[in-house]
Amino acid sequence: MIKQNIQNLLVLIGLAVLSICPATASESNKENEPSVYAVCLDKLPTTLDLPDKAPETMRLLIPKTENMLTDYEPLIAGKGWGASIKYRSAYCEVVVYAYNRNKENLTAKDAEIERDLFDGFSAHTKFEKEVGNYVFYGSAGVAPLGEGTDNQVQMMSIGAIHDTFIKYRTVCRHVSDIDATANYRIADLMTSQVIKETLIKLDSCLTNELKK
């Protein structure tokens, strides 16, 4: 009787393992899939078009090169932080972020708060910019990227677009022989051009993907 009970128990355990394994494998595969944010950022153009009269500082805004895409969602404590992709030129780099911080029904006010919470650099100025039907909240400053490095012009612009924070983080060389206004103008031109070339494409992709 005891032997029969042990055999029955082993059979039940075996059936349980068989039923669990496929689900575990499926979940594991799903975890390894890129987030919708990474999928949509990776669909952005690798080369951005520039105006014919673009200043020399904007030239070579070309490579969205390999390993420039980072997916934060699968990382430990990364849920809600979306993904980012980096564009580089000879003078500047612009990183495009898409995330929601696990929040729903995002509004322009949420984007403004997110701007004010940003601690990447000490802002010398804050601004608002209308982009189509949306408002982007931004800040800018001049500071070194790290100890022992030269000053850089840094700029951040963020908007709440269809329940997604879309943020542009720009860092440009600080050109010492032009004034602060001109340096900020360069960073603003770079940011505006990347927004122009990526925002509609990114928003359209995310809107479709997040509905699935």
Side-chain angles (χ1 to χ4, degrees):
M1 183 69 177
I2 295 175
K3 183 177 180 180
Q4 183 63 43
N5 287 340
I6 292 174
Q7 288 177 339
N8 290 340
L9 180 60
L10 290 174
V11 169
L12 290 173
I13 291 172
L15 290 173
V17 170
L18 287 173
S19 65
I20 291 172
C21 284
T24 303
S26 176
E27 290 172 3
S28 177
N29 289 336
K30 189 173 182 179
E31 288 176 359
N32 292 330
E33 292 179 358
S35 69
V36 293
Y37 303 103
V39 167
C40 289
L41 285 167
D42 198 38
K43 290 180 179 179
L44 293 178
T46 56
T47 301
L48 302 184
D49 293 329
L50 294 177
D52 292 336
K53 295 182 179 180
E56 188 62 28
T57 47
M58 293 180 69
R59 293 297 163 197
L60 301 177
L61 187 61
I62 297 173
K64 180 190 77 175
T65 56
E66 292 182 9
N67 303 320
M68 291 299 185
L69 175 67
T70 303
D71 192 358
Y72 305 104
E73 292 287 321
L75 304 179
I76 297 174
K79 189 67 176 175
W81 292 105
S84 69
I85 201 160
K86 184 183 297 184
Y87 288 93
R88 280 182 174 170
S89 74
Y91 284 81
C92 301
E93 107 178 358
V94 183
V95 184
V96 187
Y97 297 84
Y99 61 101
N100 68 358
R101 287 192 66 181
N102 296 318
K103 296 180 180 180
E104 297 179 352
N105 302 317
L106 297 176
T107 65
K109 185 62 178 177
D110 292 312
E112 183 179 12
I113 293 171
E114 190 75 2
R115 184 270 308 271
D116 293 338
L117 291 174
F118 180 74
D119 61 355
F121 56 85
S122 297
H124 295 171
T125 183
K126 293 183 178 181
F127 57 87
E128 297 177 19
K129 178 186 294 188
E130 290 187 6
V131 181
N133 296 323
Y134 304 103
V135 178
F136 274 75
Y137 296 88
S139 57
V142 176
L145 284 177
E147 187 176 347
T149 61
D150 295 333
N151 276 343
Q152 307 285 327
V153 181
Q154 303 190 50
M155 185 172 288
M156 187 271 289
S157 301
I158 183 169
I161 317 295
H162 292 138
D163 293 333
T164 298
F165 288 125
I166 297 181
K167 180 169 70 179
Y168 295 85
R169 174 81 162 87
T170 304
V171 178
C172 296
R173 293 183 190 178
H174 182 263
V175 183
S176 58
D177 56 351
I178 61 175
D179 62 22
T181 301
N183 270 286
Y184 283 131
R185 179 63 176 161
I186 292 170
D188 183 55
L189 284 170
M190 294 293 288
T191 305
S192 297
Q193 189 63 27
V194 177
I195 290 175
K196 178 182 177 182
E197 292 292 319
T198 62
L199 180 60
I200 293 176
K201 298 179 180 73
L202 181 56
D203 176 36
S204 177
C205 179
L206 287 172
T207 299
N208 291 329
E209 289 291 331
L210 291 172
K211 286 180 180 178
K212 294 180 180 179

